[in-house]
Amino acid sequence: MKDIMRDILQERKKGKAAGIPSYCTANPQVLKAILIHAAETGRTVLVEATANQVNQFGGYTGMTPEDYRNFIYDIAKETGCPKDKIILGGDHLGPLTWADEDEDTAMEKARELVRQFTAAGYTKIHLDTSMRLKNDDSEKPLSDQTVARRGVELYKVSMEAYEQLKKTCPDAKRPSYIIGSEVPIPGGSQESEERLNVTSPSALKHTLDAYETEFERQGAKNGMKDVIAVVVQPGVEFGNNEVHIYSRSAAEDLCSECAKNPEIMLEGHSTDYQPVEALREMVEDGVGILKVGPQLTFAFREALFALGHIEQALTDERGMICGRRPVNFPDVMEKVMMTDPRNWKNHYHGSSLQQLIDRKYSLSDRCRYYFSTDEIQDAIKKLYENIDAAGIPLGLLHQYLPAQYEKVLCRSIPAKAEELVNDHIREVLLRYESAVYMQ
């Protein structure tokens, strides 16, 4: 049975610029588009859930690791995507969600978190123990030794869960582990920044050395062989209205240090909205795992807004579209977000106009927290129905969804609302796939 994550590492050791995108989302419509694409192309996809989204208490999605796995597999069955083409990943697994508790209780919960992810068959495990806990000295950063000690403790729990899993699933793949945590704020930065601090070569070296020492000290001397990547800050980030583009020269020293350790590659977070050439350069320079999240739901929102504008253009003088009431989707989204501002009010600032623009178009895409509401789901359903009942004139399709216009014209996709939305999301997938050379 192929082990894509380790295969990528082996290809990189041969000098090939191999890598894989990591799609971090719990949005069912986005996941459907991803798995339709995987089914049609035959390519393996890596789908990840964070500890905030999914944990033993449900996270903000209400799903446990097993629930999320089943959720993914249900969509895979619907789309015809084989399970063996899906890699499940757990991101930031550690005491992140319980950082306001003492080490004893926070790490106990972290151990159970990692155990459940591994037992559910996730094979890409990011161990993140970088955060201070309640009884840590708030005046000092955590030492590399403390981070590694806690990380190795979680690794051992994960491996115990894997050995148990093999008793019932003999073909279960051995997990691949990712360590390190020099990452941007999840979901993008909140403040404008002129420059980013790329992870220093010494920080990478100290992380690797600390883990090597801790694996030996805790009686897991071969543990480092299971570590395939280190999360670093290669100099990429995005905010509400800005994107920090990857700079080869700024990351040169970091990438040179990585090249001294051929048994690992780098993982980059917040790679959303990077130009394709920047993504390609990252892969060539050592970043074998490219994490993307908000850009996926941004594309989903973008396509829905485009359909909303098309619906508006097709609404007659009576205020109807094919005898139906228009949805006015952008207005519905605004109403829902204003009714419950908890997920955006601490992220969008400035004048009323600036906040309005951010609610609709921010690259950080706080809209994604509202897609699961009943009102938004009902609006999407009715929008699709209205568009499909009316039909879209080619000129109008070209105006708002020009890439999909080309495909409709060539008959590669039908001019149906959901198909158009899925294909627009697929554009993000194709950008990432064009940056990697092995799937």
Side-chain angles (χ1 to χ4, degrees):
M1 186 180 296
K2 293 190 70 175
D3 186 336
I4 297 296
M5 301 305 295
R6 288 184 171 87
D7 288 349
I8 289 171
L9 189 57
Q10 291 304 311
E11 291 298 303
R12 297 193 66 87
K13 288 168 70 174
K14 296 175 185 176
K16 297 182 180 180
I20 191 169
S22 172
Y23 303 122
C24 192
T25 183
N27 183 286
Q29 289 92 343
V30 170
L31 287 165
K32 182 177 180 180
I34 290 170
L35 295 181
I36 287 173
H37 179 71
E40 292 181 356
T41 62
R43 288 177 172 164
T44 299
V45 292
L46 167 57
V47 178
E48 294 205 54
T50 69
N52 280 330
Q53 289 173 317
V54 173
N55 59 49
Q56 64 266 43
F57 303 108
Y60 69 70
T61 64
M63 288 187 280
T64 65
E66 183 178 6
D67 292 335
Y68 183 79
R69 179 202 65 194
N70 294 340
F71 168 64
I72 295 292
Y73 286 167
D74 285 345
I75 299 173
K77 183 177 181 180
E78 177 188 354
T79 59
C81 180
K83 290 182 182 179
D84 62 5
K85 291 295 182 180
I86 302 170
I87 301 170
L88 294 175
D91 197 29
H92 295 292
L93 302 188
L96 172 66
T97 309
W98 308 287
D100 59 348
E101 300 181 22
D102 288 338
E103 177 175 356
D104 287 348
T105 57
M107 283 297 292
E108 183 59 35
K109 291 174 181 176
R111 284 189 281 271
E112 178 61 18
L113 173 73
V114 170
R115 187 196 69 76
Q116 288 197 21
F117 267 90
T118 308
Y122 293 67
T123 57
K124 193 263 190 184
I125 304 292
H126 173 208
L127 301 174
D128 184 4
T129 53
S130 63
M131 62 294 303
R132 291 192 193 93
L133 303 180
K134 184 177 179 181
N135 57 327
D136 289 323
D137 189 339
S138 62
E139 301 298 320
K140 298 179 181 178
L142 283 183
S143 67
D144 292 318
Q145 290 72 28
T146 298
V147 172
R149 173 178 60 79
R150 292 171 179 171
V152 172
E153 288 175 10
L154 296 182
Y155 164 83
K156 291 170 67 178
V157 171
S158 178
M159 287 305 297
E160 289 172 2
Y162 168 65
E163 293 299 332
Q164 285 295 117
L165 178 62
K166 283 202 303 181
K167 293 179 180 179
T168 54
C169 302
D171 293 334
K173 291 180 184 176
R174 189 179 184 91
S176 298
Y177 295 89
I178 288 76
I179 59 174
S181 54
E182 291 211 11
V183 298
I185 297 170
S189 65
Q190 296 181 34
E191 304 296 337
S192 177
E193 300 175 81
E194 291 187 5
R195 64 186 298 273
L196 293 175
N197 292 320
V198 175
T199 299
S200 68
S202 61
L204 175 60
K205 185 177 186 304
H206 291 159
T207 293
L208 293 172
D209 289 347
Y211 266 89
E212 189 77 60
T213 298
E214 273 300 316
F215 277 123
E216 182 76 27
R217 192 186 70 80
Q218 294 192 39
K221 62 181 181 179
N222 292 322
M224 205 65 195
K225 294 180 180 179
D226 289 319
V227 175
I228 66 164
V230 181
V231 175
V232 296
Q233 171 51 282
V236 300
E237 175 61 294
F238 64 93
N240 292 329
N241 192 41
E242 62 182 354
V243 178
H244 292 269
I245 299 174
Y246 177 70
S247 167
R248 273 190 148 156
S249 60
E252 182 178 4
D253 291 343
L254 169 65
C255 295
S256 295
E257 182 64 31
C258 177
K260 298 176 185 177
N261 299 273
E263 299 300 327
I264 62 151
M265 55 187 163
L266 303 178
E267 174 170 306
H269 289 214
S270 291
T271 68
D272 309 64
Y273 310 108
Q274 292 288 310
V276 171
E277 184 59 29
L279 294 172
R280 186 174 294 121
E281 289 179 352
M282 290 172 68
V283 175
E284 291 172 352
D285 292 349
V287 185
I289 304 171
L290 301 171
K291 292 290 293 297
V292 56
Q295 188 177 3
L296 297 164
T297 44
F298 183 93
F300 181 40
R301 190 276 315 154
E302 195 172 42
L304 292 172
F305 273 29
L307 292 182
H309 292 308
I310 291 171
E311 180 194 56
Q312 184 179 39
L314 294 173
T315 299
D316 63 25
E317 66 278 1
R318 300 172 300 156
M320 304 293 280
I321 175 171
C322 285
R324 304 162 180 260
R325 292 189 180 278
V327 173
N328 298 316
F329 185 80
D331 292 343
V332 175
M333 178 63 79
E334 172 68 3
K335 175 189 172 185
V336 171
M337 292 181 76
M338 288 299 290
T339 301
D340 181 8
R342 289 174 296 174
N343 289 307
W344 62 264
K345 65 179 180 179
N346 294 327
H347 298 263
Y348 300 154
H349 309 289
S351 67
S352 296
L353 176 59
Q354 184 60 57
Q355 291 182 42
L356 173 64
I357 291 171
D358 285 344
R359 282 194 298 275
K360 291 179 180 293
Y361 306 113
S362 165
L363 297 177
S364 295
D365 185 46
R366 307 301 295 181
C367 292
R368 68 186 187 274
Y369 294 101
Y370 298 89
F371 282 123
S372 62
T373 64
D374 290 342
E375 193 166 357
I376 293 295
Q377 286 296 304
D378 184 59
I380 293 172
K381 180 176 181 292
K382 289 178 179 176
L383 175 63
Y384 287 175
E385 291 172 351
N386 287 354
I387 292 294
D388 290 345
I392 308 175
L394 282 175
L396 199 53
L397 182 61
H398 192 293
Q399 175 69 36
Y400 290 104
L401 291 167
Q404 283 64 53
Y405 158 84
E406 295 276 356
K407 295 177 183 179
V408 168
L409 203 62
C410 296
R411 300 183 184 276
S412 60
I413 63 171
K416 296 295 184 182
E418 187 173 4
E419 295 273 1
L420 297 170
V421 170
N422 287 343
D423 193 73
H424 190 71
I425 296 168
R426 180 180 286 197
E427 290 179 29
V428 180
L429 313 184
L430 292 173
R431 288 170 59 82
Y432 277 83
E433 290 180 359
S434 72
V436 300
Y437 299 93
M438 173 189 167
Q439 285 288 315

